[in-house]
Amino acid sequence: MVAAAAFVGLVLGVGALVLSLALLSGFQAHVRTRLAEEAPHVLVAPAGRPDFTAAEGAAAKLALLDGVVSVTPVVRGRGWITARGQAVPAVLVGREQRDGIRLDPAQARQLSILAGEDVTIVSSRTRLSPLGPVPLTASIRVTEVAALATGRKQPEAVLPAGMARRLFGLPEGGATGFELRLSDPEAAPAMALAVREALGAETTATTTWQEANRPLLLALRLERVAIFATVFLVVIVAGLNLAATSAVLAATRRGDAAVLTVLGASPRLLGRIFLFAGLLLGFAGTLAGLGLGFVLAVVLDATHAIPLPAELFALAHVPFRPAARDLLAVGAFSLVWSFVSSFVPARMAARVDVTEALRAG
Amino acid sequence: MPGEPLLVAESLARGFGEGEGRLELFSALSLTLGAGEAVAIVGPSGCGKSSLLHLLAGLDRPDAGRVLVDGKDWASLAPEPKARWRGEAVGFVFQMHHLLPELTAEENVALPLLLAGVADSAARAQARELLARVGLVRQATSLPRILSGGERQRVAIARAVVRRPRLLLCDEPTGSLDAAHAADVLDLLLGTARERAGALLLVTHDPGVAARCGTVLTLSSGGLVPA
Ligand SMILES: Nc1ncnc2c1ncn2[C@@H]1O[C@H](COP(=O)(O)OP(=O)(O)O)[C@@H](O)[C@H]1O
Ligand SMILES: [Mg+2]
């Protein structure tokens, strides 16, 4: 019964560790994939000048780079979105092949506006009128209200590139930057170098998706370390539990230890027998815990057992992804700890006072 | 070595406790046991019979004196050789069978062989052979808890003699048995000892059991005296 309790404790500890790490891996993999999916892999911006002109042929040069899947010219600027007398400042991003404007849910909420309604965009640029300088404006229908990739500091509104050029006074074919998507998102840093080489290092600035999301990625890594440390404590406690159990086992089996001595077992052999018993318990508990955690993670993930409020998380359920690396680390730690935990009780058993034990039993 | 006694105890002293509460069991106990001898030790409960057996088996250290089994002094042996020698030279039977509850009868009997490094199959074969000799073929795969008291004690005896020790020490081997079973067990012990030209030393309460041994000694504070 004591052994069973320690066994269950170890199974649960190891299982909890595996499950937490799977949860963490799931979330992190999700965030990373979404970042790589939605954020441009390399942002190309002009340096020391406001925009790229059509004459430069920058888009064509970028498209020629090996590993670039798509080049999207963007026209970026600041302004206000107004509707029904309300105005919110916004980062406005113009893209080709887009009708209407896409608003961020935060913007839509502030303006109390739904898809299908019209808004007026007010640029930070002005034109001269008989009445003096007046801001450039344009009216456009809201076609979509949706959040963009995680990791954006400010909400962005996306509108057609032509309108954006007019609002920000760019010539036809001009762009304030390019968004590159790559065949291998992880190759973004190398690509950024190639881009600066191709367009002129002096006049071109680049930002990779990793750079743009550095705080988020760092936070993910820290979170991992923190969870690891926290849940490791659970396994340590489970291991101590095992030590206590091994000690109780050694005490309750004192009689047996004495009988084995009488039958010719040396103290060293006795120690090994009890160490083996503890290890067996630790091994079985670790294995069962790994299995339990793994199966739970797979089942919880496959059955979408834990739903998330979609508006908040942009994914409908809690993802679990048990990683082989985590299973190995947890298993190894648990086994080593089981060994350490069984060691002292085994030595106790080896030093059993035979006459005492025989009198008691 | 012919003529050499199997067991020699010289001027053994053993007591427990300190000062006022000190209990001196015996202070100058000597005993010699030769091959083929069977000796019974009797005495009131608490007089130190079990303590004496533990000293003789090298499980406990005397306050003074020494014990030699087949010429070897327990005190001169390091833990490892001591354990090896005990397994080889001494068979021990307890009042309570002290079988390991998780092991079958066969495994219990094979245990001393396994501890000595004999291969599993060979150890089991010898164990089965010995169980057959004590009339427990059918019970070989039974766990101790489903055996009767007499059967358990016979398994324990098989276990004690499976390595063919020349010295058999028994601590009230029939103490927990009824008369019929006790007679059985005693036959077995005496037979085994005689067969091997070994020596049998048994502690008992039972005058009937004692009477079947060649020599009966009474343990008192002075030592062993003929009954
Ligand atoms: N390890 C010990 N510590 C203290 N007292 C002991 C110990 N072993 C035996 N005794 C005492 O020594 C006496 C003799 O015990 P024991 O040898 O078991 O007697 P017997 O077997 O003759 O009944 C008892 O009073 C017992 O309490
Ligand atoms: Mg006794």
Side-chain angles (χ1 to χ4, degrees), chain A residues 253 255-269 273 353-359 361, chain B residues 54 59-60 79-80 83-84 86-87 90 92 94 96 98-102 108 111-112 115 159-160 163:
Chain A
R253 304 311 292 270
D256 292 341
V259 171
L260 287 173
T261 305
V262 171
L263 297 181
S266 65
R268 179 139 39 104
L269 182 59
I273 289 172
D353 179 342
V354 179
T355 56
E356 190 92 47
L358 287 176
R359 262 159 49 85
Chain B
H54 293 161
L59 296 167
D60 188 18
E80 292 293 321
R84 239 176 291 131
R86 185 182 299 123
V90 182
F92 208 104
F94 307 92
M96 293 307 292
H98 279 310
L99 298 175
L100 296 192
E102 290 89 354
N108 263 293
L111 195 55
L115 289 174
R159 180 177 69 179
R163 291 194 63 191

Side-chain angles (χ1 to χ4, degrees), chain A residues 66-223:
Chain A
D66 203 23
V68 171
V69 175
S70 70
V71 180
T72 312
V74 291
V75 181
R76 197 175 265 274
R78 293 181 163 278
W80 291 265
I81 306 169
T82 67
R84 299 194 200 107
Q86 304 265 37
V88 295
V91 173
L92 301 164
V93 182
R95 289 174 186 282
E96 307 289 348
Q97 292 155 354
R98 166 159 264 289
D99 312 312
I101 188 166
R102 173 167 78 182
L103 295 187
D104 189 88
Q107 297 168 330
R109 204 158 38 239
Q110 278 175 283
L111 295 168
S112 320
I113 210 159
L114 300 171
E117 295 183 78
D118 287 341
V119 292
T120 301
I121 312 292
V122 180
S123 167
S124 51
R125 282 211 154 209
T126 54
R127 74 185 156 81
L128 266 174
S129 80
L131 298 173
V134 294
L136 292 165
T137 61
S139 194
I140 189 167
R141 174 145 304 169
V142 176
T143 46
E144 201 183 344
V145 174
L148 268 171
T150 20
R152 283 289 143 98
K153 288 161 215 84
Q154 284 175 301
E156 293 178 353
V158 183
L159 66 167
M163 178 181 281
R165 286 195 188 96
R166 238 177 309 117
L167 283 168
F168 300 123
L170 260 68
E172 191 58 33
T176 62
F178 297 96
E179 295 178 357
L180 306 188
R181 292 196 58 81
L182 312 178
S183 49
D184 174 16
E186 300 299 329
M191 185 59 75
L193 253 162
V195 165
R196 288 202 299 278
E197 225 155 73
L199 299 186
E202 302 286 275
T203 54
T204 313
T206 54
T207 312
T208 62
W209 67 279
Q210 290 102 325
E211 287 166 345
N213 297 293
R214 180 162 294 152
L216 182 63
L217 293 176
L218 185 70
L220 288 184
R221 211 159 352 183
L222 282 181
E223 190 184 26

Side-chain angles (χ1 to χ4, degrees), chain B residues 121-198:
Chain B
S121 55
R124 281 173 183 273
Q126 284 192 55
R128 269 196 302 276
E129 197 181 304
L130 215 51
L131 280 174
R133 292 261 308 282
V134 300
L136 293 174
V137 182
R138 250 181 345 99
Q139 290 86 342
T141 56
S142 304
L143 290 176
R145 82 184 123 77
I146 68 164
L147 298 176
S148 75
E151 286 170 340
R152 286 177 200 166
Q153 200 59 322
R154 279 188 279 163
V155 174
I157 291 167
R159 180 177 69 179
V161 301
V162 72
R163 291 194 63 191
R164 305 177 171 275
R166 297 196 59 205
L167 177 62
L168 208 45
L169 302 175
C170 310
D171 195 355
E172 305 192 34
T174 60
S176 62
L177 303 178
D178 58 45
H181 280 125
D184 265 4
V185 161
L186 196 61
D187 286 341
L188 188 61
L189 286 172
L190 289 168
T192 312
R194 205 171 300 127
E195 200 176 299
R196 305 250 159 90

